[in-house]
Amino acid sequence: MTVDQVQLSDIKRAHELIRPHVHRTPLLTSRTLDELVTKAIGSPVPVRLAFKAENVQVVGAFKIRGATNAVLTHLERLKAEHGPDFDPKKLCVVTHSSGNHAAAIARAARSVGASAAIVMPRTSPQVKKDAVAGYGARIVECEPVLAARESAADLLKEELETNGSGTVVQFIHPYDEELVIAGQGTLGLELMDQVRELQVPSGSKLSSALAPSPDVEDNCSWRSRDEGKEPVVDFVIGPVGGGGMLSGLSTAVKGLDSRVTVIGAEPEKADDAFRSFQTGQLQDAISPPQTICDGLLTALSPRTLSHIRTHVSSIHLASERSILSALRLVWERMKQIIEPSAAVGLAVAFDNKDFHQQVLRIAGSAKEEVRMVLIWTGGNVELEKIVAALSATASSS
């Protein structure tokens, strides 16, 4: 099946549209993590890391980008169809989500005066349910499988369309939606600008759009590069669940510089994207879920698989132990609260041998350093659950 792919121009349009509504999140650096990853890989040259901190984004996750682009674009369409006086209160946005997209849709709808109704798995973290309710959205719970989510969303949409209120109902898929993918891609535009700002003379002050982590006392700037000869960053690594963010991210990054290698990172216990990428055929998600990464439980769609196979070099897997270890390092060394889903990229950088071989091929090509940007997708954490998992891992070591 052929599907239309989002283009760089779509992402640039989304960036202009959502700019007043989202944060330009910082890049964070840590010399400690640079040194640890360099040692883990066995690289002959330093490995330099930068983290796109979407954990400090509006609603605590990148999802606000795609949700805002979709809600604003649909509202523009309705005003074009019904006149500029169309009342946003007549619009109700429906979706299904385990948490971050749900909160993003609820917040985006509230910001324009529309309403939202969200289907959420009953097992979604309470912190995420509370956030959705806090934005005024109606929550309908379902079983924690994709079929149940989709069925409940269809029933909810039908109920709202037939209740006689005259409500205009708009379903916005959490990832299988061009407007959502374009919105998520805006973080790729930002990071490609921001990595250039890391190239400052030694001793100079970093841009306000960037920041070293609290454990860094010396300058974390990168050496200047001639972009005519090599890309400003070698690898961009993004977690993958349903694939909307990785689709938009890879489209943006490769559209700006095709020499950058974009990598997907996925838990071993939720490896459907890896299997889909390898076979070229959609593979079912593991059910019931077995990973602590609750934001990465959904399977790819034909649209997201198409984007990823076009723009992504490979998808690498990380064990639960590696993910929790990476999470602990970020919490302890960088003083940043991120979700387990956001730690998968760092786990791959530390422990995935196939990825290490990719890095070593780059490191052996007369580079002074190897550069990676890793996406921290969110920071909405069910603290008690994560602390218990970290404690269990420590006690079994």
Side-chain angles (χ1 to χ4, degrees):
M1 180 175 119
T2 302
V3 295
D4 292 332
Q5 290 194 5
V6 169
Q7 304 299 314
L8 180 62
S9 58
D10 300 316
I11 297 172
K12 289 181 175 179
R13 178 196 176 276
H15 198 220
E16 291 304 311
L17 184 63
I18 72 174
R19 191 192 300 270
H21 303 273
V22 303
H23 299 321
R24 186 174 189 258
T25 53
L27 288 184
L28 303 182
T29 58
S30 167
R31 191 170 298 280
T32 298
L33 291 188
D34 287 355
E35 293 171 351
L36 290 172
V37 170
T38 300
K39 181 178 179 181
I41 293 173
S43 174
V45 298
V47 175
R48 308 302 301 276
L49 309 178
F51 301 90
K52 182 64 169 163
E54 291 292 292
N55 57 307
V56 297
Q57 182 57 267
V58 177
V59 309
F62 73 91
K63 293 283 191 176
I64 192 65
R65 296 175 181 271
T68 300
N69 187 48
V71 169
L72 292 177
T73 301
H74 286 304
L75 188 56
E76 285 181 347
R77 174 183 57 80
L78 289 170
K79 288 186 175 182
E81 292 176 359
H82 300 282
D85 294 330
F86 175 82
D87 187 354
K89 292 180 181 179
K90 294 181 179 179
L91 172 63
C92 181
V93 183
V94 173
T95 195
H96 58 75
S97 166
S98 61
N100 286 338
H101 177 70
I105 286 291
R107 198 269 187 183
R110 190 184 73 171
S111 71
V112 299
S115 60
I118 317 289
V119 172
M120 299 187 72
R122 58 174 176 75
T123 54
S124 295
Q126 190 60 45
V127 65
K128 296 186 178 183
K129 293 179 183 178
D130 291 345
V132 173
Y135 289 120
R138 173 186 171 189
I139 297 174
V140 175
E141 293 193 356
C142 70
E143 291 302 303
V145 293
L146 182 58
R149 285 166 50 153
E150 292 175 340
S151 176
D154 287 342
L155 289 173
L156 180 57
K157 186 172 180 289
E158 181 181 359
E159 173 201 323
L160 292 166
E161 288 174 334
T162 59
N163 64 10
S165 66
T167 299
V168 177
V169 181
Q170 180 63 56
F171 178 76
I172 299 176
H173 197 279
Y175 54 89
D176 188 26
E177 156 70 63
E178 292 179 18
L179 294 173
V180 169
I181 291 171
Q184 318 304 30
T186 62
L187 67 85
L189 298 184
E190 290 181 7
L191 74 84
M192 289 297 284
D193 279 339
Q194 290 170 306
V195 290
R196 293 183 177 90
E197 298 172 36
L198 277 172
Q199 298 184 129
V200 297
S202 180
S204 298
K205 185 177 181 180
L206 288 174
S207 162
S208 60
L210 309 160
S213 81
D215 75 319
V216 178
E217 296 180 356
D218 54 341
N219 195 293
C220 255
S221 61
W222 293 355
R223 296 175 183 270
S224 294
R225 278 187 177 180
D226 180 353
E227 290 189 54
K229 297 180 179 178
E230 57 183 336
V232 71
V233 62
D234 300 304
F235 296 96
V236 174
I237 307 175
V240 57
M245 187 277 291
L246 187 59
S247 294
L249 171 70
S250 61
T251 300
V253 170
K254 299 294 280 190
L256 292 171
D257 191 336
S258 62
R259 299 170 297 177
V260 180
T261 299
V262 182
I263 302 293
E266 189 176 37
E268 286 181 353
K269 293 189 175 182
D271 69 343
D272 52 278
F274 172 81
R275 290 182 280 114
S276 297
F277 186 86
Q278 295 293 320
T279 63
Q281 303 293 323
L282 290 174
Q283 304 294 311
D284 292 336
I286 294 174
S287 182
Q290 299 178 34
T291 177
I292 197 168
C293 300
D294 62 87
L296 304 178
L297 302 182
T298 49
L300 300 181
S301 70
R303 177 176 284 106
T304 55
L305 179 59
S306 174
H307 282 81
I308 290 169
R309 283 180 63 84
T310 299
H311 300 297
V312 173
S313 169
S314 53
I315 295 176
H316 294 304
L317 301 176
S319 69
E320 295 296 293
R321 179 178 291 275
S322 293
I323 293 165
L324 287 168
S325 177
L327 182 76
R328 179 188 290 274
L329 270 173
V330 171
W331 283 21
E332 291 181 348
R333 297 302 184 93
M334 298 187 71
K335 319 306 183 213
Q336 294 291 311
I337 300 300
I338 63 170
E339 302 174 23
S341 300
V344 180
L346 184 58
V348 163
F350 269 117
D351 290 326
N352 188 282
K353 301 307 180 185
D354 290 334
F355 178 62
H356 289 182
Q357 291 304 310
Q358 284 184 275
V359 176
L360 290 172
R361 284 193 291 271
I362 293 288
S365 60
K367 286 184 179 289
E368 293 181 317
E369 58 190 25
V370 176
R371 301 173 176 179
M372 305 178 192
V373 176
L374 293 81
I375 311 302
W376 284 343
T377 46
N380 296 312
V381 175
E382 199 168 23
L383 285 170
E384 294 84 358
K385 178 180 178 181
I386 304 305
V387 169
L390 289 170
S391 298
T393 301
S395 62
S396 64
S397 298

